Amino acid sequence: MSAGRILVVDDDPQIRRVMRVTLTGQGYEVDDGKSGEAALDKLREERFDLVLLDMNMPGMGGLETCRAIREHSEIAIIMLTVRDSETDKVAALDAGADDYVTKPYNQSELLARMRAALRRTPGTHGPHGRLSLGAVEVDFDTRQVTAQGRHVRLTPKEFELLRYLVTHPNKVVSHRELLQSVWGPDYGDQVDYLRVFMNQLRKKIEAKPSQPVYLLTEPWAGYRLYLPSEPH
């Protein structure tokens, strides 16, 4: 049985060949494209479970391609970047990527990130119905978020992070518990990684992200979702 269908998008043919061999050996079905335009064409024609998308490509770059994919699809996307800077990571997440991996990447790390991106937290384990966080409305049944009537797009992992915190309202949830519950057992110690995702989620949920009201930091411990009254 296939572990999933992967689309590799990179303008370097050598990287595409190596990725195809590596991922096929891990049980994935793999197709590839050399540009953002080619990726969009393939996604219109075929079904994939995850896109590995190079950030720096000539023509239609990775960020633009990611935004175009997100207009129509919630497919898992991992952005491949050449610089390990927080600016690049934030740009990837802003564009709608679920995750990012820095080149040159370790094979085991990439495979772990892929498993985490393909992992979905079952909806039956979380809250249902609607929840109001100030001017933000979260519909857990449709996975829709609106702020003052405008649609707010959360990546699948951002939504699962919010869902997990809402499941434990007004309680401190440790960094390790959040990482392992949302991303999987390989992520327990990556506190800086969690911080990037939490900052992105605050930008979308909080009126003043630098002064959060709902998504609160508990120094050295974890995070807490503040609710005036617990959801039904």
Side-chain angles (χ1 to χ4, degrees):
M1 180 181 294
S2 170
R5 299 199 72 230
I6 311 300
L7 178 62
V8 178
V9 186
D10 198 301
D11 62 303
D12 186 330
Q14 178 65 17
I15 289 178
R16 297 200 305 273
R17 283 194 294 269
V18 170
M19 295 283 272
R20 183 184 284 273
V21 171
T22 299
L23 297 179
T24 300
Q26 296 293 320
Y28 293 103
E29 296 177 63
V30 183
D31 198 354
D32 63 67
K34 64 180 181 179
S35 66
E37 293 88 348
L40 296 178
D41 287 342
K42 287 182 179 289
L43 288 167
R44 280 190 287 266
E45 297 168 0
E46 303 177 54
R47 184 194 66 79
F48 294 92
D49 300 301
L50 182 145
V51 180
L52 292 174
L53 181 61
D54 184 39
M55 178 179 281
N56 301 296
M57 295 185 292
M60 189 178 194
L63 295 176
E64 184 182 354
T65 303
C66 186
R67 293 187 193 100
I69 294 172
R70 278 287 173 254
E71 289 179 3
H72 307 287
S73 174
E74 294 297 324
I75 188 172
I77 301 173
I78 296 179
M79 194 79 77
L80 306 177
T81 75
V82 293
R83 297 185 299 272
D84 189 21
S85 73
E86 185 152 323
T87 300
D88 281 351
K89 297 170 183 178
V90 169
L93 297 178
D94 273 339
D98 294 283
D99 205 347
Y100 49 82
V101 175
T102 304
K103 295 180 179 180
Y105 44 79
N106 176 279
Q107 178 178 317
S108 59
E109 179 192 6
L110 176 62
L111 293 171
R113 295 288 177 95
M114 290 175 60
R115 290 192 298 270
L118 289 166
R119 184 173 177 265
R120 291 288 183 263
T121 302
T124 53
H125 292 177
H128 295 276
R130 299 179 69 87
L131 173 69
S132 295
L133 296 172
V136 175
E137 292 281 334
V138 184
D139 189 325
F140 289 100
D141 298 326
T142 64
R143 298 178 69 92
Q144 298 294 309
V145 180
T146 56
Q148 298 178 336
R150 294 183 300 103
H151 176 62
V152 177
R153 182 178 290 280
L154 301 188
T155 67
K157 286 303 175 191
E158 288 170 350
F159 193 90
E160 290 168 16
L161 178 58
L162 177 61
R163 183 196 290 275
Y164 195 84
L165 287 167
V166 171
T167 305
H168 304 80
N170 301 316
K171 297 177 182 177
V172 179
V173 183
S174 71
H175 299 128
R176 176 174 291 274
E177 179 180 348
L178 275 172
L179 284 160
Q180 293 188 334
S181 297
V182 177
W183 281 272
D186 299 310
Y187 284 72
D189 298 323
Q190 300 195 29
V191 176
D192 288 343
Y193 179 84
L194 176 61
R195 178 175 55 82
V196 173
F197 275 86
M198 183 60 72
N199 287 343
Q200 291 301 106
L201 187 57
R202 281 174 172 154
K203 289 179 183 179
K204 300 176 180 181
I205 298 297
E206 298 280 2
K208 295 182 178 180
S210 62
Q211 301 175 29
V213 174
Y214 302 103
L215 299 170
L216 304 179
T217 298
E218 296 293 337
W220 309 106
Y223 294 97
R224 175 169 57 92
L225 180 84
Y226 169 71
L227 291 182
S229 60
E230 295 191 5
H232 296 293

